[in-house]
């Protein structure tokens, strides 16, 4: 069976600023002069979800993938972006028993990418996020900030590759991966890679994995905040940075509320209303 | 005598403590603090001042190996840190902790409402709370900006100590323990923080003011001064003892003790 031919979402100057699309085989093209936010909310498991993105020079796209499929399901999503303008990408991996995202972006001259990832896991959830950012031409810029928040026996993989092609001088690339383990049985595999074939480039990357700070926990408790609430506040404080960077206010609010619900443990499927 | 005057806020008897598995740090401390009193504990670095402060606040890094602490009729050592806090024990930290991503106002509101809840009072709503906290912020010569910033994150030493004073003024403790509140403060911040503390002095409250230097005690005048050396209170007196320490240094006092 062949996949259905994707409908193409073409965004032109003057189109609505916020668009919600059904996930599946998605294609997004945004023209010069246009600016929009596109939200893909994945609520049904799909092992072949894909999104193709083309951001023309002079266009600004904010793309938000909110994955909230059932926590016993397998879900796979491939995102491929070609960026001559500006792309801000949010990949929120909240649900799924096994959920994998392959995010690839190729940056053309003066292209800019700001990519944020947040992986949540509890129980035996496995989150797997892989990024390949290719700086194909000179003067492009990429920023990646990826976080994972893992409880119980949940695990996550962050595998991030930054590639700088020969001739892509003045590339400015950075990648940060931060992981917070709420239980001693949770685990994370963080694998940053750099492949640099050009001179005169800036590439920074870093990765940290830790537990809740005992000092911070005691500080909150010493002010009367009970231990469970204090742990929740600290975990929320760790993760919310990713969600606060969502520009669309309504989506940001929903995402922060979903994080709070997740922290309370009452919402097993990652925030599907 | 009134009931208040008879009551004891905290009674520490023969308290011994160590870092779990380590050598003893507190080696038999006894101290009784009554309502309205301000006790200063002075001692050189490493004498155990922060250990005592943290043991009273309930930090589990420290293990109490001997002795008792009664607080308003309860066994303090049986209570979790948050249970102590809502009952009115307040530790102003020597090193306030930075908490990224948690806004100061949210933190203050959670602390304030935890106490209200314990007292059986309804939680303060957002508007009510903001009005109150903004008044306190002003009293301490702070800026409203403090409220929206993350707890202590990127605060200067003085800002952190003012933030401790703000929390104290909001939570109105029965027993305030100030651990080196003067360290890292310029004179303006010291005065602002001391004024905040003095505003809280009341017949039904008590304070333990821990300090290395006598300077703070010019602003927060104590009723009693105790000298802590090597985990023991070696000398007690009134505020003239602080002056004596200033002149002779700790070596002199330890030798004459
Ligand atoms: N968490 C800890 N781990 C190991 N040693 C500690 C710890 N806390 C305090 N100590 C030791 O206990 C002694 C007293 O420390 P502290 O109570 O911080 O003294 P002060 O506050 O009077 O400077 C010091 O020798 C210090 O090294
Ligand atoms: Mg100390």
């Amino acid at each position: 069976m062949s996949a259905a031919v994707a409908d193409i979402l073409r965004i032109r100057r003057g189109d609505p600023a916020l668009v919600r699309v059904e996930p599946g085989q998605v294609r997004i093209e945004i023209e010069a002069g246009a600016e929009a936010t596109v939200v893909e909310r994945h609520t049904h498991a799909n092992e072949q979800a894909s999104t193709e993105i083309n951001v023309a020079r002079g266009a600004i796209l904010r793309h938000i993938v909110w994955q909230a499929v059932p926590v016993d399901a397998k879900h796979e999503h491939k995102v491929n972006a070609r960026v001559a303008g500006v792309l801000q990408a949010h990949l929120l991996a909240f649900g799924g028993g096994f959920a994998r995202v392959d995010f690839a972006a190729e940056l053309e001259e003066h292209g800019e990418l700001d990519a944020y990832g947040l992986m949540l896991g509890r129980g035996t959830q496995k989150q797997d996020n892989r990024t390949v950012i290719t700086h194909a031409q000179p003067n492009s810029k990429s920023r990646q900030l990826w976080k994972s928040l893992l409880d119980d026996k949940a695990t996550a993989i962050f595998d991030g590759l930054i590639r700088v092609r020969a001739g892509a001088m003045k590339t400015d690339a950075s990648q940060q991966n931060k992981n917070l383990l709420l239980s001693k049985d949770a685990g994370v595999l963080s694998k940053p890679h750099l492949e640099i074939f050009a001179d005169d480039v800036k590439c920074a990357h870093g990765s940290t994995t830790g537990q809740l700070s005992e000092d911070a926990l005691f500080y909150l408790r010493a002010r009367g905040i009970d231990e469970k609430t204090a742990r929740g506040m600290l975990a929320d404080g760790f993760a919310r940075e990713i969600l606060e960077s969502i520009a669309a206010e309504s989506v940001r609010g929903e995402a922060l509320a979903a994080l709070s619900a997740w922290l309370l443990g009452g919402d097993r499927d990652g925030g599907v209303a | 005598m009134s009931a208040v005057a008879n009551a004891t806020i905290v009674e520490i008897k023969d308290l011994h403590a160590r870092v779990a598995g380590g050598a003893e740090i507190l080696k038999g401390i006894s101290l009784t603090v009554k309502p309205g009193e301000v006790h200063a504990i002075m001692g050189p670095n490493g004498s155990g001042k922060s250990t005592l402060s943290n043991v009273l606040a309930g930090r589990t890094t420290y293990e109490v190996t001997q002795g008792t602490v009664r607080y308003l009729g309860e066994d303090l050592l049986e209570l979790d840190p948050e249970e102590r806090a809502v009952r009115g024990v307040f530790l102003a930290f020597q090193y306030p902790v930075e908490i990224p991503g948690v806004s100061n106002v949210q933190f203050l509101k959670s602390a304030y409402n935890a106490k209200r809840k314990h007292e059986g009072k309804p939680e303060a709503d957002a508007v009510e709370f903001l009005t109150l906290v903004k008044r306190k912020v002003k009293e301490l010569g702070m800026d409203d900006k403090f409220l929206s910033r993350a707890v202590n994150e990127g605060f200067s030493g003085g800002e952190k100590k003012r933030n401790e004073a703000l929390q104290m003024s909001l939570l109105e403790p029965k027993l305030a323990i100030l651990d080196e509140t003067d360290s890292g403060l310029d004179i303006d911040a010291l005065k602002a923080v001391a004024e905040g503390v003095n505003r809280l002095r009341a017949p039904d409250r008590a304070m333990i003011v821990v300090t290395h230097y006598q300077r703070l005690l010019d602003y927060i005048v104590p009723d009693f001064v105790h000298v802590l050396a090597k985990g023991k209170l070696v000398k007690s007196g009134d505020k003239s003892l602080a002056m004596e320490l200033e002149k002779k240094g700790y070596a002199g006092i330890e030798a004459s003790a």
Side-chain angles (χ1 to χ4, degrees):
Chain A
M1 203 185 97
S2 66
V5 176
D7 283 335
I8 302 181
L9 172 65
R10 284 208 170 80
I11 303 170
R12 302 187 169 85
R13 187 200 292 263
D15 283 351
L18 180 65
V19 187
R20 294 180 189 259
V21 294
E22 274 304 305
Q25 267 64 51
V26 175
R27 277 196 72 166
I28 305 165
E29 311 247 341
I30 182 164
E31 295 186 351
E35 179 172 351
T37 298
V38 176
V39 183
E40 271 184 52
R41 185 114 103 153
H42 294 232
T43 55
H44 300 291
N46 181 347
E47 291 177 36
Q48 290 179 339
S50 70
T51 306
E52 299 287 323
I53 295 172
N54 197 339
V55 183
R57 177 175 292 198
I60 300 174
L61 178 68
R62 301 189 182 87
H63 183 238
I64 300 162
V65 176
W66 180 335
Q67 184 274 100
V69 309
V71 290
D72 53 359
K74 185 171 180 193
H75 187 70
E76 292 188 34
H77 185 199
K78 289 187 165 57
V79 181
N80 279 293
R82 173 168 283 278
V83 185
V86 176
L87 173 63
Q88 187 192 54
H90 280 88
L91 292 153
L92 313 181
F94 291 180
F98 172 87
R100 174 165 169 165
V101 177
D102 286 89
F103 177 86
E106 182 157 325
L107 304 185
E108 298 181 0
E109 187 156 19
H110 297 294
E112 277 184 41
L113 169 72
D114 259 312
Y116 296 88
L118 177 59
M119 298 186 268
L120 300 182
R122 66 155 58 92
T124 57
Q125 278 182 283
K126 291 179 170 50
Q127 300 288 3
D128 186 344
N129 280 192
R130 301 177 188 226
T131 66
V132 178
I133 312 303
T134 305
H135 291 263
Q137 294 176 6
N139 294 303
S140 62
K141 201 170 160 181
S142 70
R143 297 265 169 275
Q144 296 176 73
L145 178 60
W146 239 263
K147 291 191 174 186
S148 74
L149 181 58
L150 304 167
D151 202 350
D152 304 325
K153 293 181 172 162
T155 58
I157 294 174
F158 174 71
D159 186 308
L161 169 62
I162 298 172
R163 269 199 313 219
V164 182
R165 292 240 173 94
M169 307 86 72
K170 307 268 185 219
T171 284
D172 182 353
S174 80
Q175 180 194 82
Q176 288 294 328
N177 174 222
K178 296 180 182 175
N179 308 293
L180 179 61
L181 305 179
L182 299 174
S183 115
K184 60 177 181 1
D185 296 323
V188 69
L189 186 62
S190 177
K191 290 202 288 186
H193 316 263
L194 300 175
E195 284 177 9
I196 301 174
F197 296 106
D199 295 326
D200 192 15
V201 301
K202 272 199 275 184
C203 275
H205 66 98
S207 171
T208 57
T209 298
Q211 275 117 35
L212 285 182
S213 148
E214 284 300 321
D215 286 345
L217 201 55
F218 178 63
Y219 190 69
L220 297 182
R221 296 179 72 192
R223 295 297 176 256
I225 300 168
D226 68 82
E227 183 173 359
K228 187 165 185 286
T229 306
R231 286 182 182 278
M233 281 172 78
L234 294 176
D236 181 85
F238 168 80
R240 69 185 295 122
E241 179 184 10
I242 300 291
L243 307 180
E244 277 175 346
S245 62
I246 295 174
E249 199 181 331
S250 61
V251 184
R252 183 173 68 240
E254 288 167 41
L256 285 166
L259 173 64
S260 304
W262 187 86
L263 288 165
L264 289 173
D267 195 338
R268 310 299 298 188
D269 290 351
V272 189
Chain B
M1 259 184 163
S2 75
V4 170
N6 273 330
T8 294
I9 299 245
V10 69
E11 184 175 25
I12 305 169
K13 273 192 186 159
D14 192 31
L15 185 68
H16 293 247
R18 61 182 185 183
V19 172
E24 207 166 57
I25 303 171
L26 301 183
K27 299 171 182 165
I29 299 223
S30 297
L31 177 68
T32 299
V33 178
K34 300 220 158 130
E37 294 177 352
V38 174
H39 290 246
I41 295 184
M42 301 185 69
N45 282 334
S47 56
K49 301 185 299 294
S50 291
T51 302
L52 175 62
S53 306
N54 278 279
V55 164
L56 294 176
R59 190 170 198 127
T60 50
T61 321
Y62 301 101
E63 184 187 15
V64 172
T65 52
Q66 203 179 312
T68 57
V69 183
R70 306 279 311 166
Y71 169 74
L72 296 176
E74 283 189 276
D75 179 354
L76 188 71
L77 301 177
E78 280 298 305
L79 301 173
D80 285 336
E82 58 267 38
E83 294 172 324
R84 300 181 194 198
V86 295
R87 283 163 176 74
V89 176
F90 182 93
L91 168 64
F93 283 62
Q94 181 171 6
Y95 303 110
V97 182
E98 301 197 8
I99 308 186
V102 176
S103 82
N104 209 18
V105 69
Q106 186 211 344
F107 161 65
L108 294 166
K109 186 161 174 254
S110 301
Y112 183 71
N113 279 331
K115 182 162 180 264
R116 306 246 326 163
K117 194 172 160 198
H118 174 78
E119 290 166 351
K121 295 180 186 155
E123 294 195 350
D125 67 35
V127 177
E128 205 181 324
F129 179 74
L130 263 180
T131 312
L132 172 69
V133 79
K134 283 190 173 172
R135 199 184 76 223
K136 304 270 181 190
V137 160
K138 208 172 193 172
E139 275 176 7
L140 284 157
M142 296 164 76
D143 196 293
D144 282 357
K145 283 203 303 278
F146 273 103
L147 295 172
S148 50
R149 288 167 68 183
V151 178
N152 295 324
E153 194 185 33
F155 285 24
S156 70
E159 288 170 341
K160 283 181 179 164
K161 294 300 171 84
R162 280 184 207 240
N163 203 29
E164 295 294 290
L166 173 64
Q167 292 163 45
M168 183 164 69
S169 127
L170 206 58
L171 297 174
E172 303 186 326
K174 291 256 175 345
L175 174 64
I177 304 153
L178 310 181
D179 188 5
E180 303 230 14
T181 290
D182 48 337
S183 69
L185 285 190
D186 61 47
I187 197 74
D188 286 340
L190 180 71
K191 280 185 184 161
V193 167
E195 274 169 27
V197 171
N198 286 330
R199 260 196 299 275
L200 275 181
R201 286 181 83 151
D204 60 342
R205 292 206 180 103
M207 295 187 189
I208 298 177
V209 179
V210 168
T211 182
H212 182 112
Y213 300 103
Q214 183 264 341
R215 183 179 74 153
L216 179 68
L217 306 180
D218 290 340
Y219 298 94
I220 305 172
V221 181
D223 302 300
F224 303 94
V225 175
H226 312 274
V227 180
L228 180 64
K230 300 193 178 93
K232 285 186 182 165
L233 293 180
V234 293
K235 192 161 185 179
S236 295
D238 61 14
K239 61 178 186 269
S240 64
L241 179 56
M243 313 292 174
E244 195 184 332
L245 275 173
E246 184 77 352
K247 268 192 250 121
K248 289 195 193 167
Y250 288 108
I253 293 287
E254 281 175 49
S256 68

